[in-house]
Amino acid sequence: MKIAISATGQTVDSMLDKRFGRCQYFVIQDTETGEVETVENKGLTSEGGAGIAASQQLIDEGVEVIITGNLGPNAFELIEKSGIKAYKCHEMVIRDVLEKYGSGELLEIEESGPAHHGGH
Amino acid sequence: MEDIDLEEEDNLNIAVLSGKGGTGKTTISTNLALALGAKYIDCDVEEPNGFLFLKPNIVNTEEVMVEYPVIDEDKCTDCGVCVDVCQFNALASAGNGILLFEKLCHGCGACEIVCKYGALGYGKREVGRIEKGMGHGINCSRGILNIGEPMAVPVIRSILRNLDDGLNIIDCPPGTSCNVVTSLRYADGAILVTEPTKFGLHDLERAVELVDMFSIPFGVIINKDDGRENIVKSYCKDRQIEIIGTVPYSDSIALAYSKGEMLYATQDNRALFDHLAMGLGEVLEWT
Ligand code: SF4
Ligand code: SF4
């Protein structure tokens, strides 16, 4: 199973970024192999709907779990419909985030946070 | 810079801009419209407040509609081609059907073109309204963007596309966003409203940059002026930008504003705005 975490850097030693749609990277760990890969967030370069672009990217990557700070309403709707589970966590080193997830300490995100409208 | 020739145009549209909100843009637009006997058009559609002062009786309301894609689920194969083509992330594929985020849709039509299965059609939905009426003896209209709608441009376009003949004073959205750019496309001249402060000057500089792109005549009105040689005046002198006039800082103006009263309705201020109206005619050279 693949777990994606919104991150400020490219490794498990970087910090979790609470912004989902506008984070720099997603650190993705495959729990079966333990392998870690990093992708650049497509939402960063999108004009509007950053959260949707980021969600779509993770859906296409075959991710089943997302860990981040907040989800906007659009991202929340899309992630929920796709059957991905999203968990909330505050800023900490990704390695610790994974550990917390593993021990069942993280809470599922059950409603969306405030919307972020890109400027026009 | 081209001068305006009233003879050749059926309407003359003057855009009133300010680098940010709260500089007195609406006060100046509404009172100047009265002084000129012009029509007042509020296209600050996210916060149209000119009607709070002009208080027109609204006789006509029109809906502003935009198109958005409608997916026929029986025909859709979930191929995802429409998702890839949408530049605005208005479509997404959850793996079990296509999701539409209608508020992000710009109505470009690309998704319909690429759908090979004829599963995409268009519907219409309301994003705002246009209201018209008479207030203080002049024609007034305003655009209103529905709450929660992120895109103001369709409402602004719809109100400005159908302007009447004659002189139109257009109260623009604040700032220098694409809403302002859209408004300026319809303008034959512009008034930049600012205050004589450091922030006022900074915002004015940005507004000047924007208006310069349109090669239309424009001038500055300084609101809450201190009557001295201030930074805005010396900036205008340096850049050879004409000052249409000034509105002094005064307690009576602030009071009238807080009560939602038209300044033009009081004797003292009437002369002030008549003077500005003349200044405008000279700067934009339509006299
Ligand atoms: S392109 Fe047409 S068939 Fe393909 S997912 Fe979009 S609507 Fe469905
Ligand atoms: S009309 Fe354009 S913006 Fe709207 S969903 Fe289709 S491709 Fe996206």
Side-chain angles (χ1 to χ4, degrees):
Chain A
M1 180 183 72
K2 283 182 173 181
I3 303 176
I5 299 159
S6 53
T8 56
Q10 307 201 43
T11 67
V12 288
D13 296 315
S14 46
M15 296 291 283
L16 176 138
D17 190 335
K18 283 169 81 173
R19 299 164 309 162
F20 176 71
R22 294 288 181 198
C23 68
Q24 203 79 34
Y25 303 101
F26 288 108
V27 172
I28 302 176
Q29 192 195 42
D30 188 324
T31 49
E32 272 114 69
T33 62
E35 249 172 68
V36 173
E37 59 163 337
T38 309
V39 294
E40 255 178 67
N41 175 12
K42 284 187 186 163
L44 256 194
T45 50
S46 77
E47 260 189 53
I52 297 171
S55 312
Q56 185 71 64
Q57 182 180 12
L58 297 180
I59 292 169
D60 295 345
E61 290 277 347
V63 161
E64 285 174 57
V65 168
I66 291 170
I67 305 173
T68 188
N70 282 305
L71 289 176
N74 292 337
F76 181 80
E77 187 185 341
L78 179 52
I79 287 170
E80 192 174 48
K81 173 136 204 255
S82 69
I84 294 175
K85 287 210 183 309
Y87 293 87
K88 194 180 181 67
C89 187
H90 43 255
E91 281 144 1
M92 61 171 80
V93 177
I94 306 279
R95 198 185 293 283
D96 297 343
V97 175
L98 285 165
E99 206 162 286
K100 272 193 182 296
Y101 171 76
S103 59
E105 282 177 61
L106 297 181
L107 289 178
E108 217 174 303
I109 298 179
E110 273 158 9
E111 59 184 30
S112 65
H116 303 282
H117 289 306
H120 271 271
Chain B
M1 222 184 264
E2 308 153 37
D3 290 344
I4 298 168
D5 189 350
L6 253 186
E7 304 286 308
E8 276 186 15
E9 306 213 13
D10 296 335
N11 60 25
L12 181 59
N13 305 328
I14 310 291
V16 184
L17 316 177
S18 68
K20 67 169 171 60
T23 53
K25 175 177 61 65
T26 294
T27 309
I28 285 169
S29 313
T30 49
N31 287 288
L32 207 50
L34 273 196
L36 291 159
K39 296 176 197 73
Y40 170 77
I41 291 101
D42 198 346
C43 68
D44 183 1
V45 302
E46 284 170 77
E47 228 172 308
N49 51 19
F51 277 24
L52 301 178
F53 300 92
L54 286 163
K55 303 185 179 70
N57 60 320
I58 290 157
V59 292
N60 183 310
T61 304
E62 267 169 54
E63 294 160 349
V64 179
M65 311 292 282
V66 296
E67 291 199 317
Y68 70 100
V70 179
I71 294 169
D72 182 341
E73 284 181 16
D74 293 337
K75 290 188 186 159
C76 175
T77 63
D78 216 355
C79 71
V81 174
C82 56
V83 174
D84 291 339
V85 82
C86 182
Q87 299 288 304
F88 304 100
N89 297 313
L91 295 167
S93 166
N96 51 8
I98 300 296
L99 230 61
L100 166 70
F101 297 96
E102 55 181 26
K103 285 183 179 161
L104 294 175
C105 173
H106 283 55
C108 71
C111 53
E112 186 191 20
I113 295 170
V114 298
C115 178
K116 288 197 218 67
Y117 303 93
L120 253 160
Y122 284 96
K124 285 196 169 174
R125 64 190 191 91
E126 189 199 298
V127 291
R129 336 185 268 293
I130 290 169
E131 294 179 344
K132 293 185 177 161
M134 289 283 281
H136 285 256
I138 60 168
N139 279 303
C140 308
S141 55
R142 69 167 170 183
I144 306 170
L145 184 68
N146 288 351
I147 291 172
E149 288 294 341
M151 271 177 279
V153 168
V155 181
I156 296 171
R157 254 196 217 133
S158 153
I159 192 167
L160 295 181
R161 214 169 14 211
N162 303 307
L163 289 179
D164 290 327
D165 290 355
L167 188 56
N168 295 302
I169 296 292
I170 304 171
D171 192 348
C172 292
T176 47
S177 66
C178 71
N179 295 343
V180 185
V181 175
T182 302
S183 313
L184 275 171
R185 291 226 163 99
Y186 298 85
D188 305 302
I191 299 170
L192 312 187
V193 180
T194 190
E195 289 174 4
T197 61
K198 234 168 81 184
F199 294 114
L201 177 62
H202 174 76
D203 292 332
L204 176 63
E205 286 170 348
R206 290 173 49 208
V208 167
E209 258 171 51
L210 182 67
V211 179
D212 266 342
M213 293 173 4
F214 287 83
S215 11
I216 51 173
F218 68 92
V220 168
I221 292 182
I222 307 175
N223 190 27
K224 295 190 185 160
D225 189 48
D226 53 10
R228 301 201 199 114
E229 266 313 308
N230 51 48
I231 47 174
V232 168
K233 284 178 193 157
S234 52
Y235 164 77
C236 290
K237 202 181 281 169
D238 285 353
R239 296 284 313 265
Q240 294 183 308
I241 294 167
E242 303 220 46
I243 296 177
I244 295 164
T246 61
V247 177
Y249 178 79
S250 104
D251 290 341
S252 77
I253 290 179
L255 186 68
Y257 181 85
S258 70
K259 287 196 205 148
E261 287 169 1
M262 288 298 296
L263 298 175
Y264 201 69
T266 63
Q267 206 60 30
D268 291 2
N269 296 319
R270 171 172 302 211
L272 180 72
F273 282 95
D274 283 337
H275 196 71
L276 283 180
M278 266 173 49
L280 180 65
E282 281 163 23
V283 168
L284 303 188
E285 299 191 37
W286 78 56
T287 41

